[in-house]
Structure formats: structure tokens, C-alpha cells
């Protein structure tokens, strides 16, 4: 059963959209579009918006916290998160400094979601060996957990710097930087997050969400074993909402397929078939359709897994900016209230 107050948010990787003339925006325009969308989401009461870090040509956002800082100056309530920050190819000290700065300028609304990186472009870009993929994250998340204590500490690093009574600034006003871990389906990642006491966001991008139920149960068992607090887990999945079912399905088919097929070239995936897509939007992990259809499927997934958060990934592919804005309007004004209503009925 889901917690009483479920967080309902939006997530974007900053896919470069088309403008009203059907032309792809420039990267600068795409970044300003994300800021505009976040302002709209804040105005309409969406709980959180998270921005993914990528270093590929189809995505405009390589520095989520910079875009989030711009959003902070134009919003009041919405939580501002990364989804994810690739900690493995970054410096934990600099990551903490950047997000504690964001926390200050947003009046305590910063949130960081740490990840190992399902995309690997950042590793060679910043001089890291993919052979150290697991070891890098193991060491850096341990270091980051020390940084979160916000007091001087010693550190002996193999892949990171060694420090003696290092103190890092700025401190947060609350003494707490909201930190989660993004997990794509690795039991080891679930156990690691539980060990450090971090809440988890499950990246569910395909198949029946029920297959992730064992991960929810594993997290609870591991947290208990490590004598750490348990947190309601979250999930994120792709989707698209429009005023009619046909419009939503056709827009999503064209653009989600485009996005997944591009990624598949480097992942070894076969091109997405229409049959596969139809299965995902009917019983899998793509939430596509009218507000009622999407709300029903979201509520079912939340109840099935017992998660306390659902972030809908929007904007995949080259969706026109106007369609993205309309989706945010429908999500905020129709889907979110309906999901809360359906959960309350339980």
C-alpha cells in the first residue's frame, strides 16, 4: 500500500524539442524551454521536477544544477532535483558544493539523486576508466555520505582525493541536503543505498512494474539489517498525455521510439516495434493517453509497488514544445488530482 502522501513529479532529460515551425530548437532554446516548463509546473502545483545529466547530442542538459538554479529564481514551491547526477564521473566535494549552493538560492528546495550512470559518455569525457565503473561509485557514494554530515572529516581515497579534517562550504541552512539514489534494477545498488540510509528511485523503463516488487522488499530487509531508517521508495517511468487517446499514442509512438532507438544503437537494443510499444502503454511501463488513462495506470503502479513517489518522464524524442507544455498542464490539473483521488479510495 502506498503512503498517505505520495509525491507526484516530473522528470526530463532535456531532449531537444521542435518549435512551432517544426524545426529543432538550438541547445540554448531547449534549455530555456525547460526553465519555462518548470515555471509552469511550479505554478500548477507539481511537487518536484528533476533534470537528468547527459552528455549526448540529443539532450541539452549536461549540468542539471545550473539549470535548476535558473529555475529557482523563477519558482516558489517546486522541489528542484537532479535525475540523476552521475557521481561516478564527478568529484563528490564539488557535487556537494554545487547542490548546497542550489539549496541556498532556492530556499531549501534542492534535491540530489545520485546514480552510477546508465549512459557512459561522461567516463571517457572526464578521464575515467569504465573498468572502474563499480569501484568508482562505491568509493564516491561513501565519501558523499561523509560530506552530508557537514562537519570536518578525514578521508583516504583511491579514486578520490585524500583529505585531512576537510571542511566543505557552503553549509545548508537546515543541515540536511535531500539525497536519493537512482537504481535501474541492480540488487547490489538497492543494498548499497540501504546501507547508507538513502531513499531510492527505481528507474522503470520497460515491462510490468510488478517485477520491481522484490527490490522494494529487498530494500526494507537490507535497511533493517543495517539498522538504518527505511524510506518509501520512488519510481520514474516514461509517458505522454494529450487531450485524446489517439493524439497521445501517436505522438508518443513517434517520439519515444525515436529516443529509444537512438539509445539502442549503443545499448544493443533492437528497434522498438509497434507491438512492443502497444504492450508497454497497455500493461508495461509507459504511461500514455488521456489524463484518466494515465491516472488509472499510475495509481495502479503506485499501489502495486507501495511506492511513495512517482516521477513521470516527459519530453522524450523531438516532441514539439507546445505539446510538452500541454502535457504538463494536463498532468498538473487533471492527472495529479485524479491519482490522489484513486489512492484515497483504497
Amino acid at each position: 500500500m502506498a503512503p498517505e502522501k505520495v509525491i507526484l513529479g516530473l522528470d526530463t532529460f532535456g531532449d531537444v524539442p521542435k518549435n512551432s515551425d517544426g524545426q529543432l530548437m538550438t541547445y540554448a532554446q531547449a534549455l530555456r524551454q525547460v526553465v519555462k516548463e518548470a515555471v509552469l509546473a511550479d505554478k500548477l502545483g507539481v511537487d518536484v521536477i528533476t533534470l537528468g545529466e547527459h552528455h549526448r547530442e540529443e539532450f541539452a542538459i549536461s549540468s542539471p544544477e545550473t539549470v535548476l538554479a535558473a529555475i529557482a529564481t523563477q519558482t516558489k514551491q517546486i522541489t528542484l532535483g537532479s535525475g540523476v547526477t552521475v557521481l561516478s564521473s564527478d568529484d563528490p566535494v564539488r557535487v556537494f558544493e554545487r547542490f548546497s549552493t542550489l539549496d541556498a538560492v532556492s530556499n531549501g528546495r534542492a534535491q540530489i539523486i545520485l546514480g552510477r550512470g546508465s549512459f557512459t559518455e561522461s567516463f571517457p569525457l572526464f578521464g575515467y576508466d569504465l573498468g572502474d565503473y563499480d569501484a568508482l561509485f562505491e568509493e564516491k557514494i561513501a565519501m558523499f555520505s561523509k560530506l552530508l554530515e557537514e562537519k570536518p572529516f578525514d578521508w583516504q581515497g583511491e579514486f578520490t582525493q585524500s583529505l585531512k579534517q576537510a571542511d566543505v562550504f557552503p553549509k545548508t541552512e537546515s543541515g540536511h541536503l535531500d539525497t536519493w539514489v537512482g537504481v535501474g534494477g541492480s540488487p547490489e545498488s538497492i543494498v548499497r543505498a540501504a546501507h547508507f540510509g538513502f531513499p531510492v528511485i527505481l528507474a522503470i523503463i520497460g515491462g510490468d512494474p510488478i517485477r520491481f516488487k522484490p527490490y522494494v522488499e529487498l530494500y526494507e530487509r537490507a535497511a533493517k539489517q543495517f539498522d538504518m531508517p527505511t524510506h518509501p521508495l520512488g519510481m520514474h517511468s516514461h509517458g505522454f498525455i494529450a487531450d485524446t487517446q489517439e493524439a497521445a499514442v501517436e505522438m508518443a509512438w513517434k517520439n519515444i521510439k525515436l529516443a529509444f532507438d537512438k539509445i539502442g544503437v549503443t545499448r544493443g537494443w533492437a528497434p522498438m516495434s509497434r507491438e512492443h510499444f502497444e504492450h508497454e502503454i497497455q500493461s508495461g511501463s509507459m504511461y500514455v493517453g488521456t489524463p484518466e488513462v494515465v491516472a488509472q495506470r499510475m495509481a495502479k503502479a503506485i499501489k502495486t509497488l507501495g511506492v511513495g513517489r512517482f516521477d513521470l518522464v516527459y519530453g522524450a524524442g523531438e516532441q514539439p514544445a507546445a505539446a510538452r507544455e500541454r502535457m504538463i498542464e494536463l498532468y498538473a490539473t487533471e492527472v495529479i488530482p485524479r491519482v490522489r483521488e484513486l489512492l484515497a479510495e483504497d
Side-chain angles (χ1 to χ4, degrees):
M1 182 178 293
E4 286 187 18
K5 176 61 175 177
V6 173
I7 298 167
L8 298 171
L10 288 166
D11 188 3
T12 180
F13 301 154
D15 302 69
V16 179
K18 290 182 177 178
N19 59 28
S20 58
D21 297 326
Q23 301 299 312
L24 283 176
M25 289 185 172
T26 64
Y27 290 111
Q29 290 170 331
L31 288 168
R32 292 192 289 268
Q33 178 64 28
V34 170
V35 174
K36 182 181 180 182
E37 291 162 357
V39 171
L40 176 62
D42 177 64
K43 179 182 177 182
L44 297 176
V46 176
D47 293 331
V48 57
I49 187 164
T50 62
L51 309 183
E53 173 194 343
H54 293 89
H55 304 270
R56 297 169 57 96
E57 64 176 353
E58 63 265 41
F59 303 122
I61 301 173
S62 59
S63 177
E65 59 272 30
T66 306
V67 185
L68 292 168
I71 293 168
T73 66
Q74 300 183 49
T75 56
K76 297 184 181 299
Q77 301 295 329
I78 196 166
T79 297
L80 306 170
S82 62
V84 301
T85 291
V86 185
L87 185 64
S88 305
S89 58
D90 212 328
D91 179 341
V93 174
R94 292 294 290 141
V95 170
F96 178 86
E97 289 177 338
R98 296 196 302 261
F99 277 87
S100 61
T101 300
L102 172 64
D103 199 60
V105 299
S106 66
N107 292 307
R109 291 184 285 133
Q111 180 183 92
I112 180 169
I113 303 176
L114 302 172
R116 294 191 300 171
S118 60
F119 291 80
T120 58
E121 289 82 5
S122 64
F123 289 81
L125 192 63
F126 300 126
Y128 291 98
D129 187 343
L130 277 171
D132 299 323
Y133 182 83
D134 291 319
L136 281 165
F137 192 69
E138 287 277 0
E139 181 172 324
K140 291 187 178 187
I141 196 171
M143 186 183 193
F144 199 81
S145 69
K146 295 294 293 182
L147 286 158
L148 290 174
E149 296 175 6
E150 301 195 31
K151 59 185 181 183
F153 70 104
D154 295 336
W155 183 259
Q156 184 65 43
E158 178 183 356
F159 297 100
T160 58
Q161 61 273 48
S162 296
L163 301 169
K164 186 71 174 177
Q165 285 298 287
D167 210 0
V168 179
F169 306 95
K171 311 292 186 185
T172 61
E173 281 187 319
S174 67
H176 171 71
L177 182 58
D178 189 15
T179 305
W180 297 56
V181 173
V183 175
S186 162
E188 293 81 8
S189 295
I190 292 285
V191 172
R192 184 190 302 113
H195 173 72
F196 289 108
F198 291 130
V200 166
I201 294 279
L202 299 168
I204 305 178
I205 62 171
D208 190 330
I210 190 62
R211 67 193 180 92
F212 279 80
K213 186 68 173 177
Y215 294 102
V216 177
E217 296 166 349
L218 174 61
Y219 177 80
E220 294 170 351
R221 292 198 306 272
K224 183 177 180 180
Q225 181 175 330
F226 293 126
D227 197 25
M228 297 299 288
T230 57
H231 307 273
L233 276 69
M235 63 180 289
H236 95 166
S237 295
H238 285 78
F240 184 73
I241 308 160
D243 291 281
T244 69
Q245 188 69 16
E246 182 181 6
V249 169
E250 293 310 312
M251 178 69 75
W253 161 243
K254 177 181 178 181
N255 289 287
I256 291 179
K257 173 179 169 58
L258 176 66
F260 274 62
D261 285 357
K262 280 187 176 181
I263 295 167
V265 171
T266 57
R267 299 283 185 88
W269 299 344
M272 181 181 289
S273 68
R274 182 71 185 222
E275 181 182 16
H276 177 203
F277 172 75
E278 293 284 352
H279 174 76
E280 287 294 339
I281 67 173
Q282 290 169 18
S283 57
S285 295
M286 292 181 187
Y287 298 79
V288 174
T290 62
E292 179 63 20
V293 168
V294 171
Q296 290 280 352
R297 295 201 62 239
M298 283 178 57
K300 180 181 178 182
I302 290 167
K303 288 187 284 188
T304 297
L305 293 180
V307 295
R309 173 174 176 176
F310 190 114
D311 291 348
L312 190 64
V313 185
Y314 77 95
E318 300 173 357
Q319 295 172 22
R324 286 172 33 162
E325 291 176 32
R326 180 57 178 160
M327 172 180 163
I328 292 170
E329 291 175 356
L330 293 170
Y331 182 71
T333 62
E334 298 188 36
V335 174
I336 288 179
R338 182 61 174 142
V339 169
R340 298 203 188 286
E341 182 180 67
L342 290 166
L343 294 177
E345 291 175 358
D346 207 22

